[in-house]
Amino acid sequence: MIAGLGAVVPVHGSIEPVLALLDELAGPGVRDDDRPQRVIVVDDASPVPVDATALPDGVELIRRDDNGGFGAAVNTGLRALAEPRSGAGGACDRALVLNSDLRLPAGFASELADHAAPFQPAVVGCRNESADGASGYAARTFPTIGHQVVEWLVPLASQHHRDVLHRALGHDLDAERGQGMVAVDWVSGAVLLLPVAEVLALGGFDEGYFMYTEEVDLQLRLRARGIPSYLDADLVAVHAGGGSSGGEARRRQWLVGARMRYARKHGHVHVLRAGMTAASAANLVWNTGRRAAGRDVKPLAVAREELSLIHRAGKDLPS
């Protein structure tokens, strides 16, 4: 087994789509030296509780009483890894946090741990791609108001394949096209190798983020303590994406609310709201032109929805 490495997989919903990932981590076909010391599934208060007997042998199950979101579920797993468990060796000093909708190549955990070892303590991620090979741009620069305003502009949506737009969205193209271990501002939360003690010393993930942006917030706080982030550009995981979002409307609400929280903590939330409001005005003009050209779009309804998200999303979340 990979001594000192634990894996945490948060789940909310059916365990069936997650079983393939668990088999890739700890199934009968996994070589012992590719197997994490512990693998923990955190059931984040799924409506139908995860059945422990459905899990591969050796995979632990922790069930939360309340659905707290990604960060809260991961914190639950990290705290468990920090404590020695009878029959499972000592405490784990590194945690491999994985989204439940991932697929991993053979030997992934041991390769990532080996590549990351000389750089510890650090946060390490890897490339992620969709099933059809499209990049998820796992390496990013820390968010700015400009990044988020550009993303909100509908007229630019068709141009996101251009390098200038990727950079304007905060995608780190140098890391994306690099090799080996590349220093970055932050890496996607789909795959995160975390130093357990250092993360828990900061209080773990901020549980005020229900979903989205919590990994950025964590890596920014770790950076202030001298803990860097890296992209392992030689490893790729397949990420379905959106598996826990519960629909586009809810996803957008969580995303905008999370970004407003991040801006309240680390930036200027009023400037962000003003910038996104201006972008919505541009979207209204653009959509009005599309409607005049015969496209099936409702400019005023879209504008009302956008403004509601900008000025209301996240206000009921803890500050």
Side-chain angles (χ1 to χ4, degrees):
M1 70 177 62
I2 309 169
L5 178 68
V8 177
V9 182
V11 173
H12 180 74
S14 172
I15 194 62
E16 290 299 322
V18 191
L19 294 178
L21 169 63
L22 297 176
D23 278 336
E24 290 163 350
L25 282 172
V30 178
R31 291 176 16 177
D32 191 57
D33 56 358
D34 288 333
R35 188 187 302 268
Q37 179 177 316
R38 295 175 67 184
V39 177
I40 298 176
V41 168
V42 179
D43 178 1
D44 195 20
S46 298
V48 177
V50 171
D51 180 1
T53 65
L55 305 179
D57 287 345
V59 174
E60 303 169 44
L61 176 64
I62 299 174
R63 178 169 170 81
R64 288 174 47 84
D65 293 331
D66 301 306
N67 179 209
F70 179 82
V74 173
N75 285 344
T76 297
L78 295 179
R79 288 191 289 268
L81 290 179
E83 297 294 331
R85 179 175 179 266
S86 177
C92 295
D93 59 2
R94 291 156 296 152
L96 180 57
V97 177
L98 301 169
N99 277 193
S100 61
D101 53 358
L102 287 169
R103 296 302 304 271
L104 306 177
F108 178 88
S110 58
E111 284 195 64
L112 183 63
D114 287 346
H115 295 176
F119 300 88
Q120 290 301 303
V123 177
V124 180
C126 71
R127 299 182 188 278
N128 64 69
E129 296 179 350
S130 64
D132 61 6
S135 176
Y137 297 97
R140 309 283 180 104
T141 57
F142 283 127
T144 67
I145 289 170
H147 294 157
Q148 293 164 27
V149 170
V150 167
E151 185 181 48
W152 201 247
L153 282 165
V154 172
L156 298 180
S158 65
Q159 303 302 309
H160 285 183
H161 60 287
R162 301 183 184 277
D163 279 8
V164 64
L165 261 297
H166 278 298
R167 296 187 192 279
L169 291 167
H171 298 168
D172 187 337
L173 296 186
D174 294 333
E176 174 74 16
R177 295 163 183 169
Q179 295 180 321
M181 296 285 285
V182 184
V184 297
D185 279 0
W186 66 278
V187 286
S188 162
V191 175
L192 289 174
L193 183 66
L194 298 176
V196 174
E198 287 79 2
V199 171
L200 292 179
L202 287 179
F205 284 91
D206 178 347
E207 297 182 12
Y209 298 96
F210 186 79
M211 187 174 290
Y212 302 114
T213 312
E214 58 275 288
E215 79 270 44
V216 194
D217 176 275
L218 177 68
Q219 290 173 75
L220 183 64
R221 290 185 287 129
L222 286 169
R223 183 64 52 84
R225 298 283 188 96
I227 307 296
S229 295
Y230 292 92
L231 176 77
D232 186 341
D234 294 339
L235 289 179
V236 181
V238 175
H239 185 213
S244 302
S245 296
E248 180 62 15
R250 181 174 291 184
R251 186 196 74 83
R252 279 166 59 88
Q253 182 179 20
W254 285 338
L255 179 60
V256 175
R259 289 182 173 172
M260 293 300 172
R261 179 178 181 82
Y262 183 90
R264 287 199 301 273
K265 290 183 65 175
H266 306 296
H268 304 281
V269 68
H270 299 300
V271 177
L272 177 58
R273 284 201 180 100
M276 291 178 68
T277 298
S280 284
N283 292 344
L284 176 60
V285 172
W286 177 261
N287 285 331
T288 299
R290 293 173 67 211
R291 176 68 179 267
R295 302 293 294 274
D296 183 16
V297 62
K298 299 177 180 179
L300 288 175
V302 171
R304 282 194 292 267
E305 178 189 0
E306 290 181 351
L307 292 173
S308 175
L309 285 170
I310 293 166
H311 295 281
R312 297 178 62 185
K315 287 193 171 183
D316 56 341
L317 296 175
S319 15

